[in-house]
Amino acid sequence: MKLQPLLPSLLFTGAVAVLVGMPANADVVKVTGVRLNPTADGLEVILETASRASPQVNTSSENQTLLIDLSNAQLNLTGSQEFRSENPVQGITSVTVTSLSANSIRVTVTGSQSLPKAQLIPSPQGLVLSLSAPSVTAEATPTPETPPTQPDGQTQPSAGSTIGAKPEVSTETPQVQEEIEIVVTGEQEPEAGYRVPNATSATRTDTSIRDIPQSIQVVPQQVLEDRQVQRVEEALENVSGVQQTLSSLNIATGFLIRGFETNNIYRDGLRDPTNSLSGAELANVDRIEVLKGPASVLYGQGELGGLVNLVTKQPLAEPFYSVQGTVGNFNLYGGAIDLTGPLNDSKTLLYRLNASAQRSDTFIDFSEIERYQIAPVLTWRIGERTTLTFEGDYQNRRYPEVPGLPAVGTVLSNPLGELPRTRFLGDPDFNYREIESLRVGYRFEHRFSENWAVRNSFKAALQSLDSKFAFPIGLQDDNRTFDQLYAATNKPDDRDVYAFDTSVVGKFQTGSIQHQVVFGVNFDRYTVSRNIFLAELDPIDIFNPVYGRTPGDIVRRIITKDRSESLGFYVQDQISLLENLKLVLGGRFDVVNQEQENLVSSTISEQQDEAFSPRVGIVYQPIQPVSLYASFSRSFNPATPGTILPSGAAAEPERGTQYEVGIKTEFFEGKLSSTLAFYDLTRANVLTPDPNDPFASVQTGEQRSRGFELDVAGEILPGWRVTASYAYNDTKITQDNEYDIGNRLINVPQNSASLWTTYEVQKGGLKGLGFGVGLRYVGERQGDLDNSFELPSYLRTDAAIYYKRNNFRAALNVSNLFDTEYFEAAQYGRAGIFPGAPLTLIGTIGLEF
């Protein structure tokens, strides 16, 4: 979203002012030292130079980070080619000085709550970058006068000023000391773009993605907005190697990463299994981080394929208010608000409130959706080094329970005809799942010094599920009679999660070797109370369905109380052996206790599992924009409480191993980045559905996934942004006592690719007008482990057109532009596959204040 200069109270504004006092010449500026000097307004970064040459200055911003690129400059520091300081003063979280290329330097300044202001001043000491953070100095710093406005709404530069994201510094010598301002307006701060340089999920520290020896992809806020994403699975379509396993009309979230199903959906770095069962509203989500491969070394138990971390929106120190309305076909109506700012003059109390509501019909008959959310956040800056944040999130979601369509009559021929994708094979009288979720928690951080900090976080998630629906069993030999059971909760199922994590993060040196360590402990407790019954239900004619059926006798009851408690200790060291050679070492020890009380059979079963999960990775950067990496890691995932094996024995924990190598590169001075990864994953003790009992599981043995992935994201030219991916994934059963060795896994295409690109007019009368187009290709996928049928490949086309001006934004998003018929996933084998939605229109209008 853009904030225009006409609303200065809403700007996160960074300014670079240059006092020109050096003669112009073509000499390369050599920076031989970097020093920090705290000032009354903030901080001075002194770049010591060996000559009085004048560099060119290009500025841009990403989120709360100000990027200042000095062209015609070289970094020549003794013993290092990077300077970094964490939390040098209040309001500024980090300052780094690095080589951008052979003859350019990048100064990166990140504010704690908003974009810092800066002045670049030539002096006898060299170049002095004077920094101030709006969140800290706003009271003391006069607000710059708003420049006059042209008739078309663009800002007219004031005398001696240049407005733009990439200005050049004048090199003429003035007779008097005069500041020439180069303003980086807040238009760029909310629109961080499609490339996110740092992530926290892989290391539990804010680390540059290029320094992480593992593939990690980020779906930023700008992509979520440009595509008008409604679900997590939809957002992950832009990430290579991710496929959904459930219908988009299912209330739950299900997807595969590198061929393996995962329920690892974290929220702000804390485990929360309720996210996968109830899905997640995205109104308060700032970005989505996807860590490919095992994450057990820092997060404990979890699936091998990867981890998804939802990073929520946090309070800002400057007031910001947004309201948005949504309409679409299938009677879609919705709205959302986002309010944030300080609660007191000293800005030690900050708040944020996100709320959203939406209802719609769907393309399936007799099916509608209702979704509500409210998410308040309060941050208390207790002192310069201490912050405490309280968070809440209430969601109420009601979705249809769509049983899907049988394979015969859709992807397989049926002599009686083909089924329309709108056909509903449940019953309108019992067709819903409703989930209420309440999440509350806090995050505390205290910094002992520039290099050491302690963090503590806690979150509780309380969830209640109520459901009634027709469960598919299979199609009879007559190719029209579909057997089903009636499934319902006797009373709402309750799920409670309590997650607690405490860690210490620090930096130190051993000789010339730099270390960044994190060590900590976390504990989580997950309890589930189930009271479900299955009853007889008359079959339904798939070609002439008759509704209004009455459930019959109960055939099965499931009444259990499950408890799982996990305690883990972890340590990690990010080691800079050389400026261009980095090593990551980590390990974790877990103890997991599980108990299930079966109230039907009056039995109690208990199980304890222990595991050590290591990780080792190395990153080598032969030149500044290129990182070569390799890593080894393992995962540990106990069987969930209530897992039923045919033998009655307790299920063994699943074990996973991954080997990965890859290359990460940056183009166009860091504006476009890519990751190419090659991987080999092996899962042992895998639980898969029992073909003879849909409510039981079998531990099939071993599965393998090999392949490579390519992800590209960023800006190619001003206004032209792109995020694209390709994945080749070869998954096979390698050991099994039920299925043939070599069979491919369910819902995993060998080839898949995605593209989303937008262009926005940068100037002239059409400034603010933008266009977007997206392509999503998914290859053939197996529908069951027997490999008895395939879901066909498909290519879906999406598009968007939008217009932004000042504080107004309007957009029209089109999904499945050419109304392609395709199938998203197979969930119940031949008994249930799910068609994708036809052409879908979503219109949005938004205002920001």
Side-chain angles (χ1 to χ4, degrees):
M1 296 177 287
K2 282 191 175 181
L3 303 177
Q4 296 290 342
L6 294 177
L7 299 175
S9 63
L10 300 182
L11 293 179
F12 300 99
T13 304
V16 178
V18 179
L19 285 176
V20 182
M22 298 187 294
N25 58 63
D27 294 340
V28 173
V29 179
K30 294 185 178 181
V31 177
T32 58
V34 181
R35 293 188 289 115
L36 300 184
N37 179 32
T39 65
D41 292 333
L43 180 71
E44 286 182 344
V45 180
I46 302 171
L47 306 178
E48 299 175 347
T49 62
S51 69
R52 295 174 60 80
S54 178
Q56 291 183 337
V57 179
N58 294 280
T59 61
S60 59
S61 61
E62 295 179 343
N63 293 326
Q64 293 154 201
T65 299
L66 178 64
L67 305 175
I68 304 172
D69 295 341
L70 307 178
S71 301
N72 200 38
Q74 291 181 350
L75 191 61
N76 292 325
L77 303 180
T78 302
S80 174
Q81 285 306 304
E82 179 179 287
F83 173 88
R84 181 184 293 270
S85 178
E86 302 291 337
N87 297 286
V89 294
Q90 183 181 4
I92 297 176
T93 61
S94 68
V95 176
T96 61
V97 184
T98 60
S99 294
L100 192 59
S101 64
N103 290 311
S104 63
I105 295 173
R106 169 165 289 181
V107 181
T108 304
V109 185
T110 302
S112 59
Q113 295 294 334
S114 50
L115 194 67
K117 297 180 180 180
Q119 293 179 338
L120 184 63
I121 307 170
S123 79
Q125 305 175 76
L127 300 172
V128 178
L129 181 65
S130 180
L131 302 173
S132 62
S135 60
V136 176
T137 61
E139 292 294 314
T141 305
T143 303
E145 181 180 348
T146 304
T149 305
Q150 295 178 348
D152 65 355
Q154 302 180 46
T155 302
Q156 172 69 40
S158 59
S161 300
T162 303
I163 305 298
K166 292 186 176 180
E168 280 194 1
V169 177
S170 171
T171 58
E172 297 182 1
T173 304
Q175 298 299 316
V176 295
Q177 208 172 46
E178 180 183 358
E179 290 189 352
I180 301 177
E181 280 198 318
I182 303 167
V183 179
V184 181
T185 71
E187 289 184 60
Q188 294 168 290
E189 191 279 330
E191 290 197 35
Y194 284 10
R195 174 185 174 269
V196 178
N198 290 8
T200 59
S201 298
T203 61
R204 283 193 182 268
T205 61
D206 189 17
T207 301
S208 173
I209 291 177
R210 65 189 299 270
D211 293 337
I212 298 172
Q214 198 167 351
S215 178
I216 180 169
Q217 307 302 323
V218 181
V219 184
Q221 177 65 208
Q222 194 62 49
V223 173
L224 300 178
E225 178 183 301
D226 287 352
R227 292 192 57 209
Q228 282 299 302
V229 170
Q230 304 294 307
R231 292 174 60 94
V232 172
E233 301 98 308
E234 187 180 355
L236 299 184
E237 289 178 349
N238 294 110
V239 179
S240 64
V242 179
Q243 302 293 331
Q244 68 186 85
T245 60
L246 301 175
S247 166
S248 296
L249 303 183
N250 196 307
I251 196 170
T253 298
F255 51 86
L256 306 159
I257 302 179
R258 291 184 169 173
F260 295 136
E261 190 167 359
T262 179
N263 294 314
N264 291 345
I265 305 180
Y266 280 57
R267 189 179 293 263
D268 294 321
L270 288 177
R271 182 172 181 253
D272 185 357
T274 64
N275 284 317
S276 59
L277 178 67
S278 65
E281 294 296 326
L282 299 179
N284 71 325
V285 172
D286 179 68
R287 66 184 185 274
I288 303 175
E289 298 182 351
V290 183
L291 175 62
K292 306 286 190 66
S296 292
V297 66
L298 291 177
Y299 296 96
Q301 57 181 302
E303 290 85 1
L304 173 62
L307 174 147
V308 173
N309 185 32
L310 308 178
V311 181
T312 59
K313 297 177 181 178
Q314 297 301 306
L316 302 177
E318 301 300 324
F320 172 77
Y321 314 107
S322 171
V323 59
Q324 178 176 286
T326 303
V327 296
N329 59 342
F330 303 114
N331 294 316
L332 168 66
Y333 301 96
I337 60 171
D338 183 0
L339 314 175
T340 186
L343 290 174
N344 58 358
D345 293 338
S346 61
K347 299 184 179 180
T348 58
L349 287 176
L350 310 175
Y351 82 96
R352 191 153 195 168
L353 177 66
N354 280 274
S356 64
Q358 189 179 101
R359 66 101 27 223
S360 71
D361 298 331
T362 76
F363 70 96
I364 302 292
D365 298 334
F366 310 109
S367 300
E368 62 181 33
I369 295 172
E370 293 183 3
R371 302 158 39 192
Y372 307 95
Q373 180 190 31
I374 182 168
V377 186
L378 178 67
T379 294
W380 178 21
R381 295 174 174 173
I382 301 173
E384 275 191 31
R385 298 180 180 272
T386 309
T387 59
L388 179 63
T389 298
F390 298 95
E391 299 174 296
D393 180 9
Y394 171 79
Q395 297 182 24
N396 185 299
R397 296 160 62 89
R398 185 183 176 100
Y399 272 67
E401 183 59 31
V402 178
L405 301 174
V408 175
T410 51
V411 298
L412 298 176
S413 63
N414 187 322
L416 302 180
E418 184 176 342
L419 293 172
R421 56 184 165 179
T422 59
R423 180 63 47 83
F424 175 61
L425 295 181
D427 202 293
D429 293 340
F430 40 87
N431 174 35
Y432 74 91
R433 283 199 182 193
E434 183 173 6
I435 295 182
E436 281 190 291
S437 302
L438 174 65
R439 301 179 178 95
V440 294
Y442 71 83
R443 286 181 289 113
F444 172 83
E445 178 175 325
H446 174 72
R447 292 195 167 270
F448 301 106
S449 65
E450 289 185 8
N451 295 324
W452 289 92
V454 61
R455 299 167 180 166
N456 172 251
S457 55
F458 167 80
K459 185 164 289 185
L462 312 177
Q463 190 174 81
S464 177
L465 163 68
D466 185 23
S467 64
K468 291 179 174 62
F469 58 94
F471 186 88
I473 300 299
L475 194 64
Q476 294 184 12
D477 293 338
D478 63 0
N479 291 320
R480 68 181 310 147
T481 304
F482 197 50
D483 290 328
Q484 296 177 322
L485 288 173
Y486 173 75
T489 52
N490 199 38
K491 64 177 182 177
D493 285 1
D494 294 325
R495 288 165 171 78
D496 299 337
V497 179
Y498 302 93
F500 173 92
D501 182 89
T502 298
S503 63
V504 175
V505 180
K507 294 181 178 181
F508 64 93
Q509 285 188 252
T510 55
S512 62
I513 299 176
Q514 298 179 350
H515 301 260
Q516 182 172 5
V517 298
V518 55
F519 55 91
V521 57
N522 63 21
F523 172 82
D524 59 67
R525 177 187 174 95
Y526 180 34
T527 61
V528 182
S529 296
R530 296 185 178 90
N531 193 328
I532 305 170
F533 70 91
L534 302 174
E536 295 175 347
L537 188 65
D538 290 339
I540 193 169
D541 187 331
I542 62 174
F543 292 103
N544 184 28
V546 177
Y547 303 115
R549 295 171 292 169
T550 302
D553 296 336
I554 294 176
V555 298
R556 185 174 183 180
R557 289 185 181 273
I558 302 173
I559 307 175
T560 61
K561 291 183 178 180
D562 301 332
R563 173 186 56 81
S564 175
E565 293 180 349
S566 174
L567 177 65
F569 303 89
Y570 59 89
V571 62
Q572 176 187 266
D573 190 1
Q574 297 169 256
I575 307 170
S576 295
L577 301 172
L578 299 170
E579 180 61 28
N580 63 345
L581 183 61
K582 300 175 176 66
L583 183 67
V584 176
L585 299 174
R588 178 186 175 106
F589 180 73
D590 279 291
V591 180
V592 179
N593 285 285
Q594 299 184 93
E595 177 185 276
Q596 181 182 82
E597 182 180 3
N598 190 321
L599 301 181
V600 176
S601 61
S602 299
T603 59
I604 297 178
S605 58
E606 296 180 327
Q607 184 173 342
Q608 177 172 306
D609 297 299
E610 301 174 357
F612 175 74
S613 303
R615 176 170 69 172
V616 58
I618 189 169
V619 179
Y620 173 63
Q621 295 159 340
I623 57 176
Q624 199 276 338
V626 176
S627 296
L628 307 175
Y629 73 90
S631 65
F632 163 80
S633 52
R634 301 196 67 188
S635 68
F636 161 74
N637 192 32
T640 56
T643 299
I644 303 171
L645 297 181
S647 65
E652 292 291 326
E654 178 187 299
R655 308 279 180 162
T657 303
Q658 173 178 275
Y659 298 90
E660 180 178 336
V661 297
I663 179 172
K664 302 180 182 183
T665 55
E666 295 180 351
F667 308 94
F668 307 123
E669 297 184 338
K671 294 182 179 179
L672 186 73
S673 64
S674 69
T675 299
L676 175 63
F678 299 82
Y679 58 85
D680 187 320
L681 294 82
T682 302
R683 294 172 73 192
N685 299 330
V686 179
L687 284 169
T688 57
D690 186 340
N692 300 316
D693 186 346
F695 303 99
S697 299
V698 292
Q699 224 157 3
T700 60
E702 184 180 272
Q703 299 174 354
R704 189 201 69 200
S705 174
R706 290 177 179 171
F708 64 91
E709 302 164 338
L710 175 64
D711 289 89
V712 179
E715 187 175 62
I716 299 175
L717 295 171
W720 182 13
R721 293 170 174 159
V722 64
T723 176
S725 70
Y726 169 77
Y728 172 80
N729 191 199
D730 181 21
T731 58
K732 292 181 180 179
I733 295 175
T734 52
Q735 294 181 20
D736 202 282
N737 55 11
E738 180 69 25
Y739 302 103
D740 292 339
I741 305 301
N743 278 9
R744 290 169 53 194
L745 303 187
I746 302 172
N747 291 317
V748 184
Q750 280 195 323
N751 295 279
S752 60
S754 70
L755 169 70
W756 175 259
T757 183
T758 61
Y759 177 74
E760 182 177 327
V761 179
Q762 300 295 291
K763 58 185 178 180
L766 296 178
K767 180 181 178 181
L769 179 65
F771 306 89
V773 63
L775 299 173
R776 169 72 168 168
Y777 172 77
V778 178
E780 295 86 358
R781 295 141 288 156
Q782 296 298 326
D784 57 19
L785 288 177
D786 283 317
N787 290 186
S788 66
F789 74 100
E790 285 187 339
L791 300 183
S793 63
Y794 68 88
L795 176 65
R796 193 191 72 210
T797 305
D798 303 330
I801 182 171
Y802 60 88
Y803 179 72
K804 303 177 182 180
R805 176 66 69 176
N806 299 331
N807 63 336
F808 171 80
R809 184 183 192 276
L812 175 65
N813 287 77
V814 184
S815 178
N816 198 359
L817 178 65
F818 300 113
D819 200 21
T820 301
E821 292 195 19
Y822 67 98
F823 292 89
E824 295 179 316
Q827 184 180 357
Y828 304 112
R830 287 176 173 249
I833 63 175
F834 298 101
L839 184 147
T840 303
L841 305 176
I842 298 179
T844 57
I845 295 178
L847 291 173
E848 298 168 355
F849 307 93

